[in-house]
Amino acid sequence: MFLRAKHTVPFLFLFLLLCLCFLLNIGLGSVDIPLSEIFNSIFGAESQEGNTAYIVRNYRLPKAFTAILVGAGLSLSGLLMQTLFRNPLAGPFVLGISSGASLGAAILLMGGALVGGAAATYFSGDVALTIAASLGSFLVLAVVVYVASKVRDTLALLIIGLMFGSLTAALVSILSYFADSEELQRFIFWTFGSVGNLSWSQVGILSICVMIGVLISIGLIKTLNSFLLGEQYAISLGVSIARSRFWIIIATGILAGAVTAFAGPIAFIGLAVPHLCRQLFGSTDHRVLLPAVLLYGPILLLLCDTVAQMPSSAYVLPINAITSLVGAPIVIWLLVRKRKMIF
Amino acid sequence: MQLTLESLSIGYLQKHEDLVVSDGIQFNSSAGDLVGVIGSNGIGKSTFLRTLAGLQPPLKGSVSLDGQNIAGLSPKDLSRKISVVLTDPIATKNLTVRELISLGRQPYTNWLGTLSREDLTKIDQVLSMLQLENIQDRICYELSDGQLQRVMIGRALAQDTPVIILDEPTMHLDLVHKVQLLKILGSIASELDKLIIFSTHEINLAIQLCSHLLVMNKNGASFGSPDALIQNDSLQQLFPDKEVFFDPKSKSFTFEAAP
């Protein structure tokens, strides 16, 4: 209904920007690799097995793909939450969903002290980490949704989300107190957030999860648009609220849970990107916003990751710090510019 | 099209004892009627309208359209029969007038919500009928209360249902806009042959403009044409505390000036 020619230009712009950021992200790293060699490594003959090709194929490419998946997943889950709660400040991080995932991960990584070391090491594979983090985010999400149905006040909901964040943080710190140093280190590194260090098979698992989330969301586009009017109007337009809410939660839980499991809790992307897209496209139609956040989120995360790896140096900064440094000012800027944040 | 209420009891289901808001509401109304629902604050007008629209279940009794109980209709079928304009503000006002009205076509669009040629024609008709063409690209948060209320009515009209239910559509409007709005409702009812049911505190206007009234008070609800309700004293009993009283000669409520 609102898909018009005026949206073609921003979409084209975002797509080109994404390609550019992708190349930039692969091109810049601790070792300088000229662009021509990168192309050779990606598209070149299989026989070419130099150091450069190895770095590009097994380190930089999976990292760039992870950044794309993480950016897309977090932004989409942010969009879903903002529409579900009809609250411009909702996002996977603010409502405690990421904290829930952290708790799941913490129990898995550090719970060894509680349940016995052997079981923990046996279960601490990647799939187990994904499942634990997803379960944690589902749990918090389910409680938040339950509370949301009791309190109509959106401000109260945000405070409750913050309280859940503190609650899970407290549980995590108790776990860390009893964990041994090796487990603790593993968990702390996980909380810094990182899109690197994923093998191709891990990227595969993550992309399947993100794909499932995206597919469910595409099926929800019409419902999400009716939610723009509020729940009562949505019902009168023939929408089954309970069913839609269920699927939105499933999609959000899978997206935020899987992303947080692999990349750690990454702040602000989920909150900021939907707003940036509304700003850019001047639309709240989910048929425009859904593809838009899937392009914009990856761009932002690729850029943040490029900064985080501090080109030409051996240092890698925690990406969570970079996204907060970028994201928090964006949110403040949006608030100041529009005075009132509308969604 | 015929709307029938049979010994309808409205209220809220509660753990121990149901909270009955109003009991034994009964009436029969058909396409082309403009029905005003009047009663003092807290008497249950909104609860009644929400029950009528199928947004909450009745405690007892039934609401039927052409003999079919709306409780048996699927959400999708119901959305093609009854549309609503509620008092709660819409969740986002960051939509253009045209986009907001287009959302009324959802019961007819495909899974992605693509508008067909027919949908577009319908939206254009609504825009011209409510004289919203010149503001169709404005964003809703820029609109005045009166304009926004007309847009919300437009959204309900675009839903193309035989019954339209409005909860206090005249709230926040000045006298001129109140009269304009009620006249628009009257012409929609008669020209497009729709049944319009709305609640209002503008009793004097409702008496003049509505074809039927439902008067809700503590003892129950009475339904009829304004003249019939004046004859059988229902309007006189609307406010029992004698602060204001009904004057049958002027067909309006009035009050004693301070001595």
Side-chain angles (χ1 to χ4, degrees):
Chain A
M1 87 186 108
F2 331 128
L3 271 186
R4 295 190 205 132
K6 69 169 184 179
H7 294 137
T8 322
V9 177
F11 268 124
L12 214 61
F13 170 71
L14 280 185
F15 183 73
L16 290 176
L17 200 62
L18 179 61
C19 296
L20 194 73
C21 290
F22 184 71
L23 289 177
L24 193 73
N25 189 273
I26 297 178
L28 295 173
S30 50
V31 189
D32 292 314
I33 302 174
L35 207 59
S36 58
E37 268 193 61
I38 287 174
F39 275 112
N40 273 337
S41 319
I42 303 172
F43 302 108
E46 202 59 35
S47 59
Q48 194 198 9
E49 285 295 340
N51 274 340
T52 342
Y54 185 82
I55 292 174
V56 171
R57 279 188 201 155
N58 293 308
Y59 184 69
R60 293 197 183 171
L61 267 184
K63 185 161 72 72
F65 275 116
T66 310
I68 289 176
L69 290 168
V70 167
L74 285 177
S75 311
L76 183 53
S77 74
L79 177 67
L80 292 175
M81 305 213 69
Q82 285 172 10
T83 306
L84 175 65
F85 292 112
R86 291 170 290 285
N87 190 321
L89 286 174
F93 205 77
V94 180
L95 286 178
I97 316 305
S98 299
S99 328
S102 298
L103 181 64
I107 291 175
L108 189 80
L109 294 177
M110 305 190 295
L114 301 178
V115 292
T121 32
Y122 183 73
F123 283 115
S124 59
D126 309 315
V127 179
L129 190 62
T130 317
I131 293 173
S134 294
L135 280 180
S137 55
F138 271 129
L139 188 76
V140 174
L141 197 55
V143 177
V144 170
V145 168
Y146 174 74
V147 175
S149 67
K150 297 277 164 197
V151 290
R152 291 259 160 250
D153 187 3
T154 49
L155 192 65
L157 188 67
L158 288 180
I159 294 169
I160 288 163
L162 280 173
M163 290 304 111
F164 273 113
S166 314
L167 216 68
T168 48
L171 289 174
V172 167
S173 62
I174 292 173
L175 278 172
S176 358
Y177 185 77
F178 287 109
D180 62 42
S181 59
E182 206 174 301
E183 291 169 335
L184 187 60
Q185 196 183 21
R186 215 179 138 197
F187 178 74
I188 299 266
F189 271 111
W190 179 81
T191 59
F192 282 159
S194 165
V195 291
N197 307 327
L198 263 71
S199 67
W200 276 114
S201 64
Q202 288 170 314
V203 174
I205 297 175
L206 182 58
S207 62
I208 289 171
C209 294
V210 172
M211 201 66 86
I212 293 172
V214 171
L215 285 178
I216 295 175
S217 309
I218 290 175
L220 286 168
I221 285 178
K222 187 175 168 182
T223 308
L224 290 167
N225 277 339
S226 73
F227 269 49
L228 291 176
L229 296 176
E231 229 161 75
Q232 298 293 325
Y233 281 113
I235 296 173
S236 85
L237 284 169
V239 170
S240 160
I241 294 295
R243 197 192 303 154
S244 329
R245 213 189 251 157
F246 173 79
W247 283 111
I248 294 175
I249 291 168
I250 293 285
T252 315
I254 291 176
L255 288 166
V259 164
T260 312
F262 283 110
I266 292 179
F268 282 106
I269 298 289
L271 173 59
V273 170
H275 288 291
L276 291 170
C277 289
R278 286 186 199 107
Q279 195 96 6
L280 180 66
F281 287 87
S283 172
T284 44
D285 183 2
H286 290 80
R287 279 179 301 165
V288 176
L289 286 181
L290 194 136
V293 297
L294 292 182
L295 288 172
Y296 211 138
I299 291 172
L300 206 58
L301 209 65
L302 280 170
L303 284 176
C304 286
D305 179 56
T306 312
V307 175
Q309 69 198 349
M310 298 186 55
S312 306
S313 82
Y315 296 106
V316 180
L317 302 175
I319 193 164
N320 199 3
I322 307 295
T323 55
S324 300
L325 281 176
V326 175
I330 289 178
V331 173
I332 294 171
W333 171 71
L334 282 171
L335 273 164
V336 171
R337 233 194 97 189
K338 292 216 136 178
R339 267 177 47 242
K340 194 171 157 245
M341 230 164 155
I342 41 176
F343 97 109
Chain B
M1 211 289 311
Q2 194 87 16
L3 179 84
T4 316
L5 305 188
E6 265 178 86
S7 47
L8 186 71
S9 171
I10 56 169
Y12 297 90
L13 290 168
Q14 286 185 334
K15 260 183 199 151
H16 302 293
E17 204 179 338
D18 293 345
L19 179 71
V20 180
V21 174
S22 193
D23 210 10
I25 307 172
Q26 200 133 358
F27 75 74
N28 202 330
S29 203
S30 51
D33 287 351
L34 180 64
V35 181
V37 180
I38 56 179
S40 56
N41 283 328
I43 205 81
K45 296 188 296 295
S46 292
T47 312
F48 169 69
L49 292 179
R50 288 166 45 80
T51 311
L52 216 56
L55 293 173
Q56 75 179 70
L59 294 177
K60 267 185 263 148
S62 66
V63 180
S64 316
L65 279 173
D66 287 333
Q68 193 178 21
N69 191 339
I70 63 162
L73 290 172
S74 72
K76 182 144 189 151
D77 286 338
L78 188 61
S79 69
R80 294 181 180 195
K81 303 263 188 216
I82 300 174
S83 57
V84 292
V85 176
L86 303 167
T87 43
D88 5 354
I90 49 173
T92 178
K93 286 185 180 172
N94 198 6
L95 289 163
T96 66
V97 168
R98 198 183 170 85
E99 285 173 341
L100 181 56
I101 290 176
S102 306
L103 284 173
R105 295 303 295 170
Q106 277 215 347
Y108 307 93
T109 54
N110 65 2
W111 67 277
L112 205 54
T114 317
L115 295 171
S116 67
R117 193 157 291 279
E118 194 192 328
D119 294 323
L120 293 171
T121 320
K122 191 82 211 168
I123 292 162
D124 286 335
Q125 279 172 2
V126 169
L127 285 169
S128 79
M129 169 148 193
L130 294 176
Q131 291 156 11
L132 294 168
E133 288 140 315
N134 51 346
I135 59 164
Q136 59 170 302
D137 291 320
R138 293 264 294 278
I139 309 274
C140 286
Y141 58 70
E142 301 171 347
L143 301 180
S144 69
D145 286 338
Q147 286 172 322
L148 187 62
Q149 197 57 269
R150 263 193 301 157
V151 174
M152 292 312 291
I153 291 170
R155 193 210 60 86
L157 260 187
Q159 209 173 324
D160 201 15
T161 53
V163 183
I164 302 177
I165 291 170
L166 307 95
D167 195 0
E168 294 196 34
T170 52
M171 202 165 57
H172 304 312
L173 302 185
D174 63 35
L175 188 60
V176 176
H177 285 95
K178 274 174 185 159
V179 174
Q180 272 179 1
L181 192 98
L182 292 182
K183 279 186 174 166
I184 290 174
L185 291 181
S187 64
I188 292 171
S190 56
E191 285 166 31
L192 301 178
D193 204 30
K194 291 182 185 295
L195 169 58
I196 295 184
I197 302 173
F198 69 100
S199 64
T200 185
H201 286 295
E202 298 309 314
I203 301 166
N204 293 343
L205 291 178
I207 290 169
Q208 292 175 54
L209 293 166
C210 292
S211 64
H212 295 81
L213 290 176
L214 179 75
V215 182
M216 294 176 78
N217 58 32
K218 284 198 184 99
N219 307 319
S222 33
F223 179 82
S225 68
D227 285 334
L229 289 170
I230 292 169
Q231 303 256 297
N232 71 13
D233 263 12
S234 295
L235 282 170
Q236 282 84 331
Q237 289 159 14
L238 189 57
F239 301 111
D241 53 4
K242 304 291 171 211
E243 196 73 46
V244 288
F245 56 88
F246 189 74
D247 174 23
K249 266 184 235 147
S250 67
K251 291 189 182 180
S252 66
F253 277 85
T254 181
F255 55 88
E256 294 278 9

